[in-house]
Amino acid sequence: MARMELKDVTKSYGSVEVMRDINLAIDDGEFIVLVGPSGCGKSTLLRMIAGLEPISGGEFTIDGARMNEVRPRDRDIAMVFQSYALYPHMTVGRNMGFSMEIAGAPKEDRARKVAEAAKVLGLEKLVDRYPRELSGGQRQRVAMGRAIIREPRAFLFDEPLSNLDASLRIEMRLEIARLHQALKSTMVYVTHDQVEALTLADRIVVLEAGRIQQVGSPLELYERPANKFVAQFIGSPTMNVLPATPDEAGVRLPQGATLDLGREIATLGTVELGIRPEHIDVVDPAQGDIRAKADVVEHLGSDTNIYVRTEHQGGLMVRVHGNIAMTPGAPLGLRLQRENLHLFAADGTALGRKPALAA
Ligand code: ADP
Ligand code: MG
């Protein structure tokens, strides 16, 4: 069992505060993914949970027990890093069972645990090999095996797949998802890979400059981002953001159409309008909300990305499902799907989605 809770946690290095107001409750068995730009504090937060970095303020508990002063090895948490740090002179099996060896566990117990972990991770045929005889993905698996064998109450991962090439990353991502299903342990996972975050997480925590911006399921973050930062961080390609002016019926695009939102937007001054590339329809040049010209067309097979130039709204990204023919320079009309518009106040706070706005 491991229900973890961070209450008003802060972190300072000397006089520099790098994290603040960290409040987060992680349920037993939950898969939490921490995302955010480089330097936002993902590793620092993970290391505070592991006990590798002191907590400057606030409290961290596991199953209700205060952990702030508890040594890392007494927290019963395993951490898997980007670098595998395997012992080169030991076989895979011995590497995996080494924590038990140090603890003086009987040889048969060790062998049984190693065999079990090797089976979970598909390493059965490799237990007698040395790390130098393994691929990067296999080494990462051994590092995970080493963590599993300790039977910790929680696992922490800091960008464990970032050294692997693309196809291996996908394979290992599935492996980690399976591992979570099999062990049902609490897991906290740091990544800068969108797809990893969206596919693995029960809930995603978005960090920016040492503060939590939003916590929610992948779909909540995608559909109802709390602010412009989260809106533009989650989703690929990035959400388009355009300036807009509120008026009686909705919002007006600069020198363009008024988008009827069914009511007046109660805000002072200008707002910004957000729309994801997949929520813009390509229509006849004479129709739509915005006139544009195709600039660069990318055929991805399953989808087509069209970078367009507009006269008054700058460059926009449009994503169309399927493989459509489009010549660069071709004029087109763009229609913004009303039900998928986001609005942001001047400070970036989300003003709610259209159904909520119209209510
Ligand atoms: P991330 O993992 O999200 O890229 P980090 O947790 O490594 O970010 O860093 C968060 C912030 O803390 C950064 O601004 C970084 O410069 C600072 N930081 C990290 N470690 C130290 C340290 N040992 N001394 C001073 N500042 C540090
Ligand atoms: Mg980091």
Side-chain angles (χ1 to χ4, degrees):
M1 283 288 287
R3 182 182 189 280
M4 306 201 261
E5 193 162 0
L6 297 137
K7 292 176 208 150
D8 294 324
V9 165
T10 64
K11 175 69 190 174
S12 303
Y13 289 105
S15 60
V16 183
E17 190 179 61
V18 295
M19 303 205 82
R20 64 187 299 190
D21 296 334
I22 301 296
N23 285 288
L24 178 66
I26 300 171
D27 280 336
D28 181 44
E30 202 174 11
F31 201 123
I32 289 284
V33 177
L34 307 178
V35 296
S38 181
C40 69
K42 304 180 294 293
S43 295
T44 303
L45 185 52
L46 209 63
R47 291 169 62 81
M48 287 195 287
I49 293 173
L52 300 172
E53 200 61 73
I55 294 168
S56 308
E59 189 175 59
F60 169 52
T61 61
I62 303 181
D63 296 330
R66 181 178 161 99
M67 287 291 126
N68 294 45
E69 294 77 23
V70 176
R71 289 176 302 179
R73 66 181 130 129
D74 297 329
R75 292 189 188 193
D76 197 12
I77 295 176
M79 187 143 166
V80 180
F81 298 93
Q82 179 181 333
S83 59
Y84 327 119
L86 301 177
Y87 297 110
H89 60 288
M90 292 184 195
T91 61
V92 164
R94 189 155 176 232
N95 260 292
M96 288 206 285
F98 196 60
S99 62
M100 292 182 76
E101 194 175 324
I102 295 174
K107 204 174 170 196
E108 312 76 65
D109 288 3
R110 253 157 48 205
R112 186 170 43 80
K113 281 283 181 55
V114 168
E116 277 171 20
K119 187 154 182 256
V120 171
L121 293 164
L123 290 170
E124 296 111 309
K125 294 201 175 74
L126 304 177
V127 286
D128 295 324
R129 288 211 197 161
Y130 288 89
R132 65 173 178 277
E133 300 169 311
L134 303 179
S135 68
Q138 290 166 336
R139 281 182 213 162
Q140 185 56 271
R141 239 173 268 197
V142 177
M144 285 202 270
R146 194 173 46 184
I148 293 173
I149 279 177
R150 291 175 48 201
E151 296 186 348
R153 52 182 172 173
F155 290 85
L156 308 179
F157 298 89
D158 196 353
E159 310 207 19
L161 309 186
S162 54
N163 279 347
L164 307 178
D165 64 41
S167 64
L168 250 179
R169 275 221 299 273
I170 295 171
E171 202 179 296
M172 289 303 290
R173 193 175 85 210
L174 293 172
E175 203 79 65
I176 289 172
R178 267 190 220 113
L179 192 68
H180 183 243
Q181 279 168 18
L183 302 177
K184 299 184 173 59
S185 314
T186 309
M187 296 188 174
V188 186
Y189 188 102
V190 169
T191 182
H192 59 257
D193 184 308
Q194 285 259 346
V195 183
E196 263 175 46
L198 293 168
T199 54
L200 287 172
D202 290 317
R203 285 188 303 156
I204 298 176
V205 177
V206 183
L207 288 163
E208 189 207 8
R211 281 171 171 252
I212 293 179
Q213 293 295 320
Q214 192 171 1
V215 182
S217 70
L219 276 185
E220 273 162 15
L221 298 196
Y222 178 83
E223 289 177 353
R224 302 198 177 272
N227 55 48
K228 190 171 132 187
F229 177 81
V230 174
Q232 294 206 287
F233 193 80
I234 299 288
S236 174
T238 306
M239 181 187 282
N240 300 291
V241 174
L242 329 170
T245 316
D247 70 13
E248 312 79 56
V251 288
R252 190 159 26 84
L253 296 171
Q255 302 179 45
T258 287
L259 307 179
D260 185 355
L261 296 175
R263 65 159 241 195
E264 199 169 340
I265 307 301
T267 176
L268 312 163
T270 57
V271 296
E272 284 182 302
L273 186 152
I275 182 105
R276 297 195 183 279
E278 57 271 40
H279 295 147
I280 300 179
D281 298 324
V282 175
V283 296
D284 191 86
Q287 293 168 354
D289 307 309
I290 298 174
R291 281 162 173 274
K293 276 201 164 97
D295 185 3
V296 177
V297 182
E298 294 177 342
H299 293 287
L300 303 176
S302 59
D303 297 287
T304 307
N305 287 342
I306 311 162
Y307 295 90
V308 302
R309 281 214 206 102
T310 68
E311 211 169 305
H312 304 291
Q313 286 83 25
L316 296 176
M317 173 69 139
V318 180
R319 173 168 251 194
V320 181
H321 193 62
N323 212 344
I324 65 159
M326 173 80 57
T327 320
L332 37 106
L334 303 177
R335 187 183 176 281
L336 312 186
Q337 296 174 9
R338 299 299 188 268
E339 66 278 20
N340 288 314
L341 289 178
H342 299 254
L343 285 173
F344 305 105
D347 68 355
T349 311
L351 293 170
R353 298 288 301 280
K354 199 219 163 189
L357 286 168

